[in-house]
Amino acid sequence: MKRLEGKVAVVTGSNRGIGKGIAIALAKEGCRVVVNSYREDEEAKNTVEEIKKLGAEAIFIKANVTREIDVRDLIEKAVKKFGKLDIFVNNAGILVSGTVTTLTEKDWDRQMEVNLKGVFLCSKYAVQQMLKQDKGGRIINIGSIAGLVGFPGISAYCASKGGVTELAREMALDYAKHGITVNAIDPGVIVTDMTKGMMDDAATKKMLLENTPVGRFGQPEDIGNAAVFLALDESSFVTGHNLVVDGGWTAR
Ligand code: NDP
């Protein structure tokens, strides 16, 4: 028996990158998965197809996590299709560069809207559904080591990710008695579209690798494996935790 057989998960921002890695890792354990992204494109279709090839069920639901109406619709459609919601992964995110002196107010708001307000809105409707079911649940927020230690030049991103991790701790307390665990995963440098620009610059790539003690960058499946652990029934005593998956970056 696979370890997440019978479970239903929604992973935001899962047409590509880390979200896709999480969706596939959950599906490999028998979970039925809702793939989501802002755009409905070939990548979304391909991710659903890849999951189906693993023998798991998957559908795509388009939703902008910053729009309450979309988020409500995402949960409603997921529950209509699969009958319930057990696991919700707040993964969708963007990176807006800039220091406090160079960022515009608009940049700041855009960063916070997706990375922080999106997590609030999704958690609101996901937890409401889990409370209705009265069988507990799992909320997993994808933060970043940029929410734990400073990274120059990305002030709004760092602030948003600090918020995502802290919100997991706060929510863990609010819903502990209902069997809903809320944890954060804080990834280090993972190879995705978000980090492509950094990897394309040889000096930046060298610096990032030198700061990652295990000597390699993370892959989306590294975060997927961590998400599976937090999603398991056996992890019911793990809540309010911040699981750092960074190849040792913050251990130095
Ligand atoms: P990518 O840029 O590869 O993917 C981002 C995903 O988020 C896409 O699926 C995108 O959808 C989705 N998304 C963006 N805005 C919205 C929105 N408003 N509504 C719904 N979906 C949206 O990023 P990563 O995979 O690298 O990052 C995933 C998460 O991991 C983010 O929260 C990021 O901050 C975090 N993280 C990443 C690290 C890394 O090194 N890569 C390190 C630490 C944390 P679409 O394709 O439609 O745009």
Side-chain angles (χ1 to χ4, degrees):
M1 169 118 169
K2 291 180 175 171
R3 293 182 296 170
L4 293 172
E5 201 85 60
K7 303 284 186 194
V8 176
V10 175
V11 185
T12 64
S14 50
N15 60 334
R16 57 193 172 105
I18 290 175
K20 180 176 177 179
I22 294 170
I24 287 177
L26 295 173
K28 279 184 177 165
E29 291 296 342
C31 194
R32 289 171 280 170
V33 181
V34 174
V35 174
N36 153 264
S37 65
Y38 181 69
R39 299 167 293 122
E40 184 160 9
D41 58 4
E42 278 304 304
E43 286 182 304
K45 265 191 231 148
N46 293 343
T47 302
V48 169
E49 286 315 308
E50 263 183 66
I51 291 174
K52 285 184 176 167
K53 277 191 195 137
L54 294 168
E57 283 184 74
I59 55 163
F60 175 77
I61 302 174
K62 180 179 158 178
N64 179 346
V65 296
T66 70
R67 294 187 68 221
E68 186 159 15
I69 189 166
D70 281 21
V71 172
R72 204 183 313 147
D73 187 60
L74 171 65
I75 304 289
E76 273 175 17
K77 282 185 176 154
V79 173
K80 196 166 175 210
K81 171 70 184 171
F82 292 128
K84 60 173 183 161
L85 175 67
D86 302 300
I87 302 154
F88 193 96
V89 185
N90 280 306
N91 167 77
I94 59 171
L95 190 158
V96 180
S97 296
T99 62
V100 292
T101 47
T102 62
L103 275 175
T104 62
E105 186 180 358
K106 211 169 148 204
D107 290 336
W108 176 272
D109 288 345
R110 191 161 63 89
Q111 181 68 88
M112 291 301 164
E113 273 236 304
V114 180
N115 287 18
L116 205 45
K117 182 181 158 187
V119 173
F120 153 63
L121 286 176
C122 288
S123 301
K124 180 184 176 85
Y125 287 96
V127 170
Q128 279 178 359
Q129 176 61 33
M130 288 170 184
L131 290 173
K132 218 189 298 174
Q133 294 168 190
D134 202 20
K135 291 214 161 73
R138 299 280 180 271
I139 305 285
I140 302 170
N141 288 357
I142 305 303
S144 167
I145 56 168
L148 298 177
V149 296
F151 276 76
I154 50 169
S155 54
Y157 183 79
C158 289
S160 73
K161 289 302 184 177
V164 165
T165 300
E166 177 54 18
L167 187 55
R169 278 191 283 261
E170 190 281 337
M171 284 171 54
L173 301 180
D174 287 339
Y175 305 109
K177 290 213 166 52
H178 298 274
I180 299 171
T181 68
V182 188
N183 293 287
I185 297 174
D186 284 355
V189 182
I190 312 295
V191 181
T192 68
D193 293 341
M194 189 178 275
T195 50
K196 192 175 179 313
M198 305 172 204
M199 303 290 180
D200 286 347
D201 179 69
T204 306
K205 187 176 178 183
K206 185 168 175 282
M207 179 278 289
L208 294 173
L209 203 51
E210 280 170 0
N211 280 289
T212 307
V214 299
R216 69 166 177 91
F217 294 125
Q219 296 295 329
E221 56 261 40
D222 289 311
I223 308 306
N225 292 334
V228 166
F229 164 70
L230 293 173
L232 294 174
D233 283 344
E234 291 83 348
S235 299
S236 61
F237 205 57
V238 182
T239 196
H241 183 63
N242 181 25
L243 180 51
V244 176
V245 185
D246 68 351
W249 183 297
T250 53
R252 291 163 309 141

